[in-house]
Amino acid sequence: MARIADDLWKYNLAKITVVDTSDDYKLMLDPLPCSMYPVLKEVWVPRYLLPTGLLHQELVSGYHYDWHEVPVFGDEIEHWYVGVVDDAALNITTPI
């Protein structure tokens, strides 16, 4: 009988941590390491959705996509960091 040595869900799901990078624009600062930004949201998504532009969609209401960090692949779960900017920091008004 064949035996699978590891959990398959690790290969089918990716963790996305959405961080607020608004202060970089408000204070005109250089980018910080991903772990230094406030976390707005963490979600788990099927990995097959990542190439379809999921990262560029609105992940948090009132925020716009800024950047994402390509994950390092290894024994760990695929973990993406996505930076978003508050509409107020960009002086964007949303239509009513």
Side-chain angles (χ1 to χ4, degrees):
M1 173 186 265
R3 184 172 188 280
I4 297 174
D6 208 354
D7 296 324
L8 288 178
W9 68 270
K10 291 180 181 179
Y11 304 102
N12 294 323
L13 293 176
K15 181 179 181 181
I16 298 178
T17 301
V18 182
V19 295
D20 184 0
T21 61
S22 301
D23 284 345
D24 291 353
Y25 291 88
K26 292 176 188 173
L27 305 174
M28 299 304 290
L29 297 173
D30 290 332
L32 300 171
C34 295
S35 61
M36 300 299 292
Y37 291 106
V39 174
L40 296 175
K41 183 179 185 180
E42 288 187 344
V43 293
W44 290 86
V45 297
R47 286 182 58 197
Y48 74 87
L49 290 177
L50 292 175
T52 63
L54 174 70
L55 299 179
H56 297 283
Q57 295 177 8
E58 185 177 296
L59 295 170
V60 178
S61 181
Y63 287 82
H64 282 76
Y65 172 85
D66 187 21
W67 54 261
H68 70 271
E69 182 179 280
V70 178
V72 176
F73 296 98
D75 293 336
E76 298 180 13
I77 298 165
E78 187 173 342
H79 187 181
W80 293 72
Y81 281 93
V82 178
V84 293
V85 181
D86 186 8
D87 289 345
L90 298 174
N91 294 323
I92 295 176
T93 57
T94 53
I96 297 175

